Amino acid sequence: MRGVIFDGTRVRVVTDLEVREPGPGEVRVAIAAAGLCHSDLSVVDGTIPFPVPVVLGHEGAGIVEAVGVGVTHVAPGDHVALSTLAHCGTCPDCDRGRPTMCRHAIGRPGRPFCHDGLPVHQFAANSAFAERTVVKAVQAVRVPDDVPLPSAALIGCGVLTGVGAVLNRARVDRGDSVLVIGTGGVGLNVLQGARLAGALRIVAVDANPAKEEVARRFGATDFLTSMEGVRDVLPTGADHAFECVGRVELIRQAVDALDRHGQAILLGVPPATAEASFRVSSLYLDKSVLGCRYGSSRPQRDIVLYAELYRRGRLLLDELVTRTYPVEDFEKAAADARTGRVARAVLTF
């Protein structure tokens, strides 16, 4: 079968990738579509360290082909969106409703694939850039058949991360002011999360003026091409500032842009050793800096919710799919994603 492998030096689209059968508590999914997220590119450029060789991809949707012993919530033929969260469901964090904090879901990559007779790692417990993948049952969430699979794929990362950060982590309230720095795939979902939450002023900042139209479509009430004009729009500062780029200087600017009792939520991924700085005294007016993993999501609940909001016309998904590419055109899709020519490139099989 076809798949996208990174061997530590280069990315290849291979045609002879193999995946094992699902074991107990696992599901094999035939991938129909997978979004190309910057986290995939960050593995390639070294920003996110990961063992190699690895099958890339972590934002996918497809059709269940087979289930292992004990799996009852999905069956062959079901349409599913996949999460990256292979949480155990039994540890104290899972029991408290915090599956993103499950220690069994972080830093333990499996190797269900084989290529040239050698095992290949699975990225983010998912590896959606393959015609078939095997995931834990808890990662496969059924979605209605009338949700297009290229759109459903984007729920599994960009939507869970962006909308989830607004609703679950920041808990934006009606009438709040929101600043969103960076309007890529995650930033656009922060914008529509803020819209869903009832934020009154939603300010998008992106250096590319061509992104204004789509930012406003997703919920921005104001659009700026630099941080310099933020105080003109929000004179006392923002209640919530989301950094969606992953640059330490923007983290500092997000903190500086906060109003009293404001909070900066960090969603962008800088290099693993990056350090940010800010004036400690600036936090004494009850300001906060919040990390956020995967939108603090509970995928089995949230994916179902977002799919239903899409069906009711309240959540935008189709508009995120700027362009689809056959998997063989991975390099073209990656180039367009890197340059910002697309909000989300989607690979299809």
Side-chain angles (χ1 to χ4, degrees), residues 105-195:
I106 302 173
R108 301 186 183 193
R111 294 193 289 182
F113 300 99
C114 187
H115 183 251
D116 286 342
L118 299 174
V120 180
H121 287 94
Q122 185 173 38
F123 179 52
N126 192 307
S127 287
F129 294 168
E131 285 189 76
R132 294 173 183 82
T133 190
V134 171
V135 298
K136 286 190 175 182
V138 73
Q139 296 175 252
V141 184
R142 186 176 179 182
V143 295
D145 291 355
D146 59 1
V147 179
L149 289 173
S151 298
L154 304 187
I155 300 177
C157 178
V159 177
L160 281 177
T161 299
V163 177
V166 174
L167 302 182
N168 302 326
R169 185 65 168 132
R171 299 187 181 275
V172 173
D173 201 358
R174 294 161 295 177
D176 284 354
S177 60
V178 172
L179 172 65
V180 182
I181 305 171
T183 59
V186 171
L188 290 176
N189 280 296
V190 173
L191 289 172
Q192 68 172 335
R195 170 175 53 79

Side-chain angles (χ1 to χ4, degrees), residues 247-273:
R247 288 168 47 187
V248 293
E249 66 272 22
L250 293 177
I251 292 173
R252 168 62 183 268
Q253 291 180 46
V255 174
D256 289 346
L258 294 176
D259 195 358
R260 298 183 179 194
H261 202 70
Q263 52 187 11
I265 300 91
L266 311 185
L267 298 178
V269 182
T273 57

Side-chain angles (χ1 to χ4, degrees), residues 1-345:
M1 68 179 186
R2 293 169 293 170
V4 180
I5 294 179
F6 175 57
D7 64 8
T9 303
R10 64 190 180 103
V11 177
R12 292 181 293 153
V13 179
V14 302
T15 59
D16 54 350
L17 183 67
E18 299 176 11
V19 67
R20 63 171 171 77
E21 293 294 315
E26 294 181 333
V27 176
R28 188 177 73 224
V29 178
I31 299 295
L36 176 55
C37 176
H38 275 277
S39 293
D40 299 304
L41 302 178
S42 292
V43 173
V44 177
D45 67 24
T47 301
I48 297 178
F50 205 87
V52 294
V54 57
V55 178
L56 297 174
H58 64 286
E59 187 180 70
I63 300 174
V64 175
E65 276 195 342
V67 301
V69 174
V71 178
T72 60
H73 75 290
V74 293
D78 285 347
H79 287 202
V80 293
L82 301 182
S83 84
T84 69
L85 205 57
H87 57 288
C88 70
T90 59
C91 70
D93 283 306
C94 287
D95 190 54
R96 295 172 67 183
R98 302 191 306 192
T100 57
M101 296 297 104
C102 175
R103 287 168 172 80
H104 297 278
I106 302 173
R108 301 186 183 193
R111 294 193 289 182
F113 300 99
C114 187
H115 183 251
D116 286 342
L118 299 174
V120 180
H121 287 94
Q122 185 173 38
F123 179 52
N126 192 307
S127 287
F129 294 168
E131 285 189 76
R132 294 173 183 82
T133 190
V134 171
V135 298
K136 286 190 175 182
V138 73
Q139 296 175 252
V141 184
R142 186 176 179 182
V143 295
D145 291 355
D146 59 1
V147 179
L149 289 173
S151 298
L154 304 187
I155 300 177
C157 178
V159 177
L160 281 177
T161 299
V163 177
V166 174
L167 302 182
N168 302 326
R169 185 65 168 132
R171 299 187 181 275
V172 173
D173 201 358
R174 294 161 295 177
D176 284 354
S177 60
V178 172
L179 172 65
V180 182
I181 305 171
T183 59
V186 171
L188 290 176
N189 280 296
V190 173
L191 289 172
Q192 68 172 335
R195 170 175 53 79
L196 286 168
L200 186 62
R201 205 73 183 265
I202 306 172
V203 182
V205 179
D206 198 291
N208 185 352
K211 293 187 176 183
E212 178 172 2
E213 181 181 353
V214 68
R216 289 186 179 276
R217 189 183 313 154
F218 274 74
T221 60
D222 303 86
F223 184 90
L224 303 171
T225 55
S226 76
M227 291 290 290
E228 293 179 0
V230 170
R231 287 289 179 172
D232 295 329
V233 179
L234 300 172
T236 62
D239 295 315
H240 314 273
F242 295 82
E243 201 284 333
C244 306
V245 181
R247 288 168 47 187
V248 293
E249 66 272 22
L250 293 177
I251 292 173
R252 168 62 183 268
Q253 291 180 46
V255 174
D256 289 346
L258 294 176
D259 195 358
R260 298 183 179 194
H261 202 70
Q263 52 187 11
I265 300 91
L266 311 185
L267 298 178
V269 182
T273 57
E275 296 182 359
S277 64
F278 50 85
R279 289 191 300 272
V280 175
S281 61
S282 70
L283 300 184
Y284 290 148
L285 292 173
D286 285 359
K287 299 179 184 181
S288 306
V289 180
L290 304 180
C292 184
R293 173 173 162 78
Y294 204 40
S296 300
S297 299
R298 286 180 278 174
Q300 287 287 338
R301 178 201 67 170
D302 291 348
I303 289 176
V304 173
L305 169 64
Y306 299 152
E308 188 58 33
L309 287 172
Y310 163 81
R311 298 176 76 205
R312 298 188 181 206
R314 298 177 60 191
L315 186 81
L316 303 181
L317 292 179
D318 300 341
E319 293 82 357
L320 285 167
V321 185
T322 310
R323 182 177 173 183
T324 60
Y325 304 74
V327 68
E328 291 81 5
D329 288 345
F330 173 82
E331 288 296 341
K332 171 63 175 171
D336 288 348
R338 284 191 178 99
T339 58
R341 284 193 290 268
V342 293
R344 212 47 151 204

